[in-house]
Amino acid sequence: MLSVLLSSFLTFVSLNCENLFDCRHDSLKNDIEWLSDGDNHWNPTRYWRKLNNIGQEILACGSLTPEAEFQEDVGKIPDLVALCEVENDSVLFDLTRRSLLRNARYEFLSTNSPDPRGIDVALLYSPFSFQLFHHYSLRVEPLPDMHPTRDILYACGRIITGDTLHVFVVHAPSRSGGEHSTRPHRMQVARRLCQSIDSIRAQSPQAWVVVAGDFNDFGDAPSLKELRKAPMTEVSLEARGRNGAEATYRFQGEWNMLDHVFASAPLANRLHDACIFDAPFLLEPDETYGGVKPRRCYTGPRYQPGFSDHLPLVVRFSLE
């Protein structure tokens, strides 16, 4: 009975991993700070602890059931996991094959972007619930004052109902340098994304499309408005945590929703629930501003054996 119940949902997770780098230097990228003699004193011990922490976090996201949240003994893994801030496919191999996540038997896809730091986006998927057809990267043409940014990852496959699902994973340019001055950079990503969504809709008006990732924007930002005009529905709009998290990211005591999940209308109509997964082990007290905050790996240059500075979004769609 339980297996029938679980298979009637498609569980989608979006998570910014906070600098999931390996310990090796890539001569084509600016990753010096993530070496043992770099500013962060990154080393194999910290690397493997980080991998296992991210693996634990992803597995825990699958504990959500229609009856109870954070139930740890269900044994259901998320069907798809959109990841931001992963360095390369070697990291993804270690995460899916050699960490606590290894028994989940995830397959993975990733981009190889021109981002100067070498961080990319990725998609983990269970081959038991998502049969991959094809995938590719969407290059975002930089504006004159814009550094090369992360590619958008696109994947298309069949889910257990036999329907085709189109997935986009996004990590938009940061606000470093000021929100207003960098706003056109994020708009450039949104326009590239909407072009691809329009192409899918031209072939299949009722296509199931999901877009997820770190948009580095919140509220009524122009880049998010662009997606809503596509039109795409923000299915994570009302997501909240159960243990004090009001959004996925906290800065100087203020919660901000930088991570989002959007879906096309036919899929959004099947939304069952969406939440910020703020299980207690992912949180720590905010000694400065009060309340709680994500238990991250670095606070400035100071290392702590945490998880990420972002909390994961968990969205479930009904397949019945």
Side-chain angles (χ1 to χ4, degrees), residues 21-24 33-51 298 303:
F21 280 79
D22 62 24
C23 305
R24 297 181 296 274
E33 62 181 323
W34 296 101
L35 302 177
S36 59
D37 56 352
D39 293 343
N40 293 318
H41 304 291
W42 195 239
N43 58 45
T45 298
R46 293 180 176 184
Y47 171 64
W48 285 104
R49 181 181 289 127
K50 173 82 169 185
L51 285 175
Y298 279 88
Y303 171 75

Side-chain angles (χ1 to χ4, degrees), residues 11-17 20 50-64 75-84 86 92 95-96 99-102 104 106-107 122-126 277 279 281-282 307 312-314:
T11 303
F12 193 103
V13 172
S14 181
L15 171 64
N16 183 315
C17 297
L20 186 51
K50 173 82 169 185
L51 285 175
N52 283 320
N53 282 356
I54 295 296
Q56 177 189 0
E57 186 172 2
I58 291 171
L59 290 172
C61 286
S63 67
L64 297 172
K76 176 73 167 67
I77 65 170
D79 298 292
L80 299 111
V81 183
L83 298 178
C84 296
V86 293
L92 292 164
L95 177 64
T96 59
S99 78
L100 288 175
L101 203 58
R102 61 188 178 273
Y106 279 119
E107 299 293 340
L123 180 70
L124 309 186
Y125 65 94
S126 170
F277 189 74
F281 72 90
L282 296 176
F307 293 80
L313 281 171
V314 182

Side-chain angles (χ1 to χ4, degrees), residues 14 19 21 27 42 94 114 125 168 189 224 267 307-308:
S14 181
N19 295 314
F21 280 79
S27 61
W42 195 239
D94 287 343
Y125 65 94
F168 293 90
V189 172
L224 303 182
L267 183 58
F307 293 80
S308 174

Side-chain angles (χ1 to χ4, degrees), residues 37 51 63-64 114 120 188 248 269 293 296 313:
D37 56 352
L51 285 175
S63 67
L64 297 172
D120 280 296
Q188 185 77 341
T248 55
N269 290 337
K293 61 182 180 180
R296 58 192 298 169
L313 281 171

Side-chain angles (χ1 to χ4, degrees), residues 220-261:
D220 290 326
S223 66
L224 303 182
K225 287 182 177 178
E226 190 77 6
L227 267 174
R228 293 184 184 115
K229 289 190 299 184
M232 296 285 286
T233 301
E234 186 175 355
V235 292
S236 59
L237 186 62
E238 302 298 327
R240 296 293 183 273
R242 292 292 183 91
N243 292 286
E246 300 174 17
T248 55
Y249 183 80
R250 199 176 203 219
F251 180 68
Q252 295 183 348
E254 184 174 334
W255 287 102
N256 294 306
M257 201 72 157
L258 299 178
D259 309 278
H260 306 270
V261 180

Side-chain angles (χ1 to χ4, degrees), residues 121-139:
V121 299
L123 180 70
L124 309 186
Y125 65 94
S126 170
F128 303 104
S129 53
F130 182 78
Q131 179 188 352
L132 181 69
F133 292 157
H134 57 270
H135 74 282
Y136 49 81
S137 297
L138 300 171
R139 185 60 47 92

